[in-house]
Amino acid sequence: MAIIITDECINCGACEPECPNNAIYESGAEWSISDGTSVRGSFTLENGEITDVDTRHSALSNEVYYIVPDKCTECKGFHDEPQCAAVCPVDCCIPDIGRVETEEQLLAKKDKLHPNG
Ligand code: SF4
Ligand code: SF4
């Protein structure tokens, strides 16, 4: 499952540079698939929407840092544990129980985001 940041976040910014998929954004910041990935062209989001990888999408939170679920692989393919959760000083990076994904699905997501390895 993807990791989600709760409203306990204190906006310290420690997690953002640790994410291997650039899935973490500051509150209010627009996100795109191409940030920190090597995928080019169009990309099908989990909700079925097809987007250009460079399209800027609206922030998912205007209060605290947020994680783009389409880009979070729980760090699979890079690290043994979610790096955001490892560095968060208030333990507010938690599994999103509403978005359960298998290890295979997470590794496939990693390959989709980084087709060149
Ligand atoms: S679990 Fe890993 S991939 Fe997901 S947001 Fe945190 S640092 Fe990024
Ligand atoms: S490390 Fe934790 S408290 Fe700091 S910005 Fe990230 S989620 Fe928020």
Side-chain angles (χ1 to χ4, degrees):
M1 57 200 86
I3 302 297
I4 193 170
I5 293 174
T6 74
D7 60 10
E8 303 293 311
C9 171
I10 58 171
N11 289 311
C12 73
C15 55
E16 184 182 354
E18 302 301 325
C19 181
N21 296 314
N22 204 149
I24 304 174
Y25 290 82
E26 188 174 8
S27 65
E30 295 181 335
W31 65 274
S32 75
I33 290 292
S34 64
D35 292 335
T37 71
S38 57
V39 64
R40 296 291 174 261
S42 62
F43 188 94
T44 304
L45 300 173
E46 290 173 7
N47 65 5
E49 178 189 342
I50 297 174
T51 183
D52 187 276
V53 295
D54 294 324
T55 296
R56 308 301 301 177
H57 299 270
S58 299
L60 302 184
S61 173
N62 290 312
E63 308 293 332
V64 293
Y65 275 71
Y66 68 88
I67 292 170
V68 176
D70 278 276
K71 300 181 76 176
C72 176
T73 64
E74 287 181 44
C75 287
K76 295 291 185 196
F78 295 101
H79 303 289
D80 291 338
E81 61 177 349
Q83 296 300 288
C84 50
V87 301
C88 181
V90 294
D91 295 332
C92 69
C93 301
I94 62 171
D96 182 354
I97 56 173
R99 190 182 288 271
V100 178
E101 294 163 284
T102 65
E103 179 156 347
E104 279 185 354
Q105 288 173 314
L106 291 164
L107 287 172
K109 190 194 291 191
K110 184 261 181 187
D111 289 342
K112 188 176 170 188
L113 291 166
H114 305 276
N116 300 322

